[in-house]
């Protein structure tokens, strides 16, 4: 039997953090043995916000290196840069024509980025169009490769829903063409919250660097950030919904040390936040140190070669699917 296909990607922007790792990359590493895996650095998504070109180039390579240092094995998985396969943009155009503007304007990510919540009627006029149809590019990414499963964090659920909607809509209108994918989400890692505000997700573009632990943070910075992380009232270390800050910190501890939350609770009976936080910082450092060592050893040229080979491998698949789409809608191919 043919292996099922997974596809996922991260935009090369902001500071890649442990939320990205625990919500997405860690799962990719586990899934790559069972699935035919394609992991993309989505640079075309990154430019939906203004980017410094030099910085974008640097970040694109860095994200690919983060994939590899995290354990994505280029022998098992295919890695490539989105803009190296122009079929993504071409399919997106076609999918634009079957998407309703209402479907896009309801996206929470769009609403957040457009800051429509400010109620400023002028705000919409200044929103770059790329932020509006960002989800359609993601739909194209996924549908081009007959993807069965998309491993992402919870914040991407709406985007997977619209992927299914558009795949079905196209199939209904033009005949069976696209595989309708499913989302793959893990319970604890799906939503790592901000260290400075446990009501919002940890975010690459957070204003304060005390929101996240970046994958390139030094030991000293990790200790400082964990010391400053907000906690809940009370002093016991318990894993409960009414203690969202602590729950989040225990989740991070648990996922990075592969220790069940219950065991962590037991370990800190009679102890306080200071002990717990000291140990948590060490758990994070124990994870980051070997990761950063692997990252530092990666050779830029070699990684660029891996990415070029990856694009060469997937481009014919993308072309085949796009040609099928073109034929079905009546283009002369
Ligand atoms: P982004 O940071 O929006 O580019 O997201 C890249 C990947 O990381 C996506 O699969 C997200 O769902 C996931 N992700 C981002 N932030 C978090 C978070 N705080 N917790 C869990 N997963 C996250
Ligand atoms: N939109 C995703 C994010 O912000 C990134 C992404 C782009 C993606 N294309 C994708 C994720 C395809 C999974 C599959 O995280």
């Amino acid at each position: 039997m043919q292996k099922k296909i997974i596809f996922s990607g991260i935009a090369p922007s902001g500071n890649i953090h442990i939320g990205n790792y625990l919500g997405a990359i860690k799962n990719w590493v586990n899934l790559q043995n069972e699935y035919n895996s394609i992991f993309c650095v989505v640079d075309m998504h990154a430019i939906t916000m203004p980017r410094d070109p030099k910085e974008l180039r640097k970040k694109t390579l860095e994200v690919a290196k983060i994939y590899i240092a995290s354990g994505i094995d280029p022998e098992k998985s295919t890695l490539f840069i989105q803009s190296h396969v122009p079929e993504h943009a071409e399919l997106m155009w076609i999918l634009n024509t079957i998407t309703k503007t209402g479907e896009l304007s309801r996206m929470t990510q769009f609403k957040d980025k457009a800051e429509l919540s400010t109620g400023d009627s002028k705000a919409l006029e200044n929103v770059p169009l790329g932020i509006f149809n960002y989800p359609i590019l993601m739909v194209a990414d996924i549908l081009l490769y007959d993807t069965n499963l998309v491993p992402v964090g919870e914040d991407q659920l709406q985007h997977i829903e619209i992927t299914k909607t558009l795949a079905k809509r196209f199939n209904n209108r033009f005949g069976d063409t696209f595989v309708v994918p499913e989302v793959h989400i893990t319970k604890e890692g799906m939503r790592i919250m901000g260290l400075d505000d446990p009501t919002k997700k940890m975010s690459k573009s957070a204003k304060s660097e005390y929101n996240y632990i970046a994958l390139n943070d030094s030991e000293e910075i990790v200790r400082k950030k964990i010391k400053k992380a907000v906690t809940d009232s009370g002093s016991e270390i318990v894993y409960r919904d009414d203690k969202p800050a602590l729950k989040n910190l225990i989740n991070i501890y648990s996922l990075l040390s592969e220790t069940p939350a219950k065991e962590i609770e037991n370990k800190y009976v009679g102890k306080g936040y200071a002990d717990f936080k000291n140990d948590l910082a060490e758990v994070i450092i124990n994870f980051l140190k070997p990761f950063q060592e692997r990252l530092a050893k990666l050779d830029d040229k070699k990684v660029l070669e891996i990415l070029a080979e990856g694009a060469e491998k997937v481009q014919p698949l993308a072309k085949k699917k796009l040609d099928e789409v073109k034929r079905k809608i009546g283009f002369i191919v």
Side-chain angles (χ1 to χ4, degrees), residues 157-184:
L157 264 179
Q158 265 192 326
H159 292 159
I160 308 302
E161 280 311 308
I162 193 171
T163 306
K164 292 163 120 177
T165 303
L166 292 185
K168 286 182 202 157
R169 187 174 299 156
F170 189 96
N171 289 349
N172 281 338
R173 222 174 270 181
F174 300 104
D176 214 14
T177 310
F178 294 123
V179 170
V180 180
E182 291 300 328
V183 69
H184 178 282

Side-chain angles (χ1 to χ4, degrees), residues 23-80:
I25 308 172
K26 185 172 188 251
N27 300 321
W28 306 355
V29 175
N30 295 329
L31 291 164
Q32 69 179 337
N33 297 314
E34 269 175 75
Y35 292 86
N36 198 341
S37 311
I38 308 175
F39 302 116
C40 187
V41 184
V42 292
D43 56 346
M44 296 201 296
H45 278 104
I47 60 163
T48 54
M49 298 288 254
R51 304 283 168 213
D52 172 52
K54 245 174 70 205
E55 193 54 31
L56 177 63
R57 214 168 284 133
K58 199 173 128 216
K59 275 265 140 86
T60 300
L61 184 60
E62 188 188 301
V63 169
K65 286 163 96 176
I66 286 174
Y67 291 176
I68 297 171
S70 301
I72 300 295
D73 179 354
E75 301 280 319
K76 290 183 191 156
S77 303
T78 307
L79 279 72
F80 76 104

Side-chain angles (χ1 to χ4, degrees), residues 7-11 42 45 109 134 138 141-142 150 152 156 159:
F7 184 102
S8 199
I10 294 181
V42 292
H45 278 104
Q109 195 172 48
Y134 175 113
M138 178 161 163
D141 296 342
I142 296 168
V150 189
V152 282
Q156 296 300 312
H159 292 159

